[in-house]
Amino acid sequence: MATEHRIALIPGDGIGTEVLPPATAVLDKVGARHGITFRYDDFDWCCERYLHEGAMMPANGLDQIRHHDAILLGAVGWPGVPDHVSLWGLLIPIRRQFDQYVNLRPIKVMPGVPSPVRSAEPGLEFVVVRENVEGEYSEVGGRFHRGFADEMAVQESIFTRPGVTRILDYAFELAATRRNVVTSATKSNGIVHTMPFWDELVAEAGLRHPDVRWHQEHIDALVAKVVLDPSRFDVIVGSNLFGDILSDLAAAVAGSIGIAPAGNLNPSREFPSMFEPVHGSAPDIAGKGVANPLGAIWSAAMMLDHLGHPDAGAEVVAAMVDVLGNTPVRTADLGGTASTEEFTKTLLDRI
Ligand code: NAI
Ligand code: MG
């Protein structure tokens, strides 16, 4: 039976525009094998639009993509537009208005992609589950006495029982489908209100999921362990800030920021979820046709999982492993000489 999905494409800035065409080409190829077709709508929301029109996206932008099945995003951010403007003008409204409260970042050491961490063997994999809509990244706070000698800034963290509980339940349920271990990132020795609250809710989640083992680590010790002994982890769950830092660290442990994917999930499926590579717009290599498309392609594979096609998603990941493990073809960030296009063609041939 043929299934059709409507996908909102937001290429964004820089190499974002170079890595989405490979991702859609892969989707079309694997879709054809599984009776899935994709209908894409393109949205030119980016920093250039901001410079011309004063906004990253139109005022009714979210309404334009609300009814799509999923969103595939390249990267946003460009020199000349402050990063907090591009982030809060596009990515954060999508994540929050569409209640994408899970940021899911799988980490996998691919064959033929050396990790800078000696103990990270090919095949090593774990996943970081980051709370994505509250926590430390809040709008609550302000600046006082701007420009005076006693100038000050206050930034509040917001941790709610429902918000923390649902991300923990997601992490525990995910662990139950994997190796059954949750590691909670905390800092309840230094942060004395929100983090003890987080720890209490972790213990409650542990009671609700008695078959899953869990432990907690202070974030400072945890980052050291991710580097020293990454194989001990299965699911790491953290607040918005801790999860953000952990997931970039983990992507680096896997050997390249150009490969790492992310899903911003609305598990209730009331709104579309958004899939995007972890990397940014890479102004230093943009326009040269040399960007590694794997982050975007793996993100598209996560989208296939989310849309109910795990077999198709697994085929894409298998093709990635195949190309990296069995051919010398790779982009410059992985020590190769292939262009984005050449690499994509090699990958497409192996699906
Ligand atoms: P970046 O990820 O764009 O680049 C960091 C380094 O990694 C650069 O040397 C770049 O060439 C390289 N790199 C990244 N992706 C690559 C790929 N696919 N293939 C080959 N090399 C790759 O991070 P940076 O430079 O800190 O940020 C640049 C802009 O991107 C900023 O405006 C930032 O705000 C934005 N950004 C956006 C993100 C998003 O849309 N989710 C995430 C991170 C940054
Ligand atoms: Mg980050």
Side-chain angles (χ1 to χ4, degrees):
M1 200 182 68
T3 313
E4 186 181 83
H5 292 297
R6 247 186 106 188
I7 309 299
L9 295 181
I10 308 175
D13 297 297
I15 64 166
T17 64
E18 300 172 39
V19 295
L20 279 203
T24 56
V26 166
L27 284 171
D28 291 339
K29 175 112 191 231
V30 77
R33 294 173 35 81
H34 290 263
I36 314 162
T37 53
F38 297 94
R39 206 143 58 81
Y40 305 105
D41 293 312
D42 243 293
F43 298 88
D44 66 343
W45 305 342
C46 61
C47 287
E48 202 180 308
R49 185 183 191 283
Y50 176 83
L51 292 174
H52 289 131
E53 318 207 10
M56 294 292 294
M57 65 175 159
N60 70 347
L62 295 179
D63 289 330
Q64 295 184 30
I65 57 175
R66 187 178 299 273
H67 299 293
H68 284 74
D69 294 324
I71 304 159
L72 201 53
L73 182 130
V76 288
W78 197 251
V81 177
D83 284 341
H84 70 271
V85 168
S86 47
L87 192 64
W88 283 85
L90 184 59
L91 272 184
I92 292 198
I94 294 175
R95 288 174 178 167
R96 297 203 172 185
Q97 297 295 315
F98 292 163
D99 206 19
Q100 294 167 348
Y101 65 84
V102 177
N103 190 287
L104 189 65
R105 297 198 178 178
I107 312 302
K108 193 184 179 84
V109 178
M110 294 284 180
V113 180
S115 165
V117 172
R118 239 178 302 139
S119 61
E121 311 259 338
L124 175 124
E125 59 100 26
F126 59 94
V127 52
V128 177
V129 174
R130 164 187 171 192
E131 202 293 320
N132 209 29
V133 296
E134 55 172 52
E136 302 87 349
Y137 297 176
S138 91
E139 288 168 283
V140 179
R143 297 274 292 266
F144 191 61
H145 280 189
R146 272 177 198 263
F148 289 90
D150 60 348
E151 181 170 5
M152 61 176 274
V154 174
Q155 174 91 44
E156 299 288 358
S157 296
I158 307 293
F159 286 75
T160 67
R161 177 175 280 275
V164 175
T165 299
R166 65 185 182 174
I167 193 70
L168 295 175
D169 279 337
Y170 185 91
F172 276 80
E173 281 157 28
L174 181 62
T177 69
R178 297 169 46 94
R179 298 190 299 274
N180 256 319
V181 188
V182 168
T183 305
S184 165
T186 186
K187 191 61 192 170
S188 44
N189 54 352
I191 300 175
V192 297
H193 300 302
T194 54
M195 281 295 137
F197 180 49
W198 171 279
D199 292 353
E200 284 165 36
L201 296 179
V202 172
E204 287 180 20
L207 292 176
R208 282 193 301 281
H209 303 90
D211 296 336
V212 177
R213 281 176 291 136
W214 64 271
H215 52 108
Q216 60 189 49
E217 305 267 5
H218 292 307
I219 184 69
D220 42 353
L222 178 56
V223 292
K225 283 175 186 165
V226 168
V227 171
L228 293 173
D229 188 12
S231 65
R232 57 186 269 159
F233 298 107
D234 180 19
V235 174
I236 306 180
V237 64
S239 64
N240 210 333
L241 173 63
F242 291 172
D244 191 5
I245 297 168
L246 275 168
S247 49
D248 277 29
L249 172 75
V253 167
S256 169
I257 187 101
I259 292 182
N264 299 274
L265 308 183
N266 171 241
S268 72
R269 294 169 188 269
E270 191 183 348
F271 302 104
S273 293
M274 175 166 66
F275 300 85
E276 51 166 341
V278 167
H279 65 73
S281 61
D284 53 338
I285 58 163
K288 298 186 179 147
V290 298
N292 188 339
L294 281 174
I297 289 168
W298 194 354
S299 301
M302 290 178 76
M303 186 182 87
L304 288 168
D305 291 344
H306 178 77
L307 294 174
H309 310 292
D311 295 351
E315 262 178 44
V316 173
V317 176
M320 291 172 53
V321 171
D322 182 14
V323 173
L324 293 173
N326 299 322
T327 82
V329 182
R330 56 208 67 220
T331 44
D333 57 310
L334 299 181
T337 55
S339 66
T340 308
E341 204 180 327
E342 287 158 358
F343 182 84
T344 304
K345 190 178 171 309
T346 307
L347 182 82
L348 285 170
D349 286 344
R350 289 178 175 247
I351 289 175

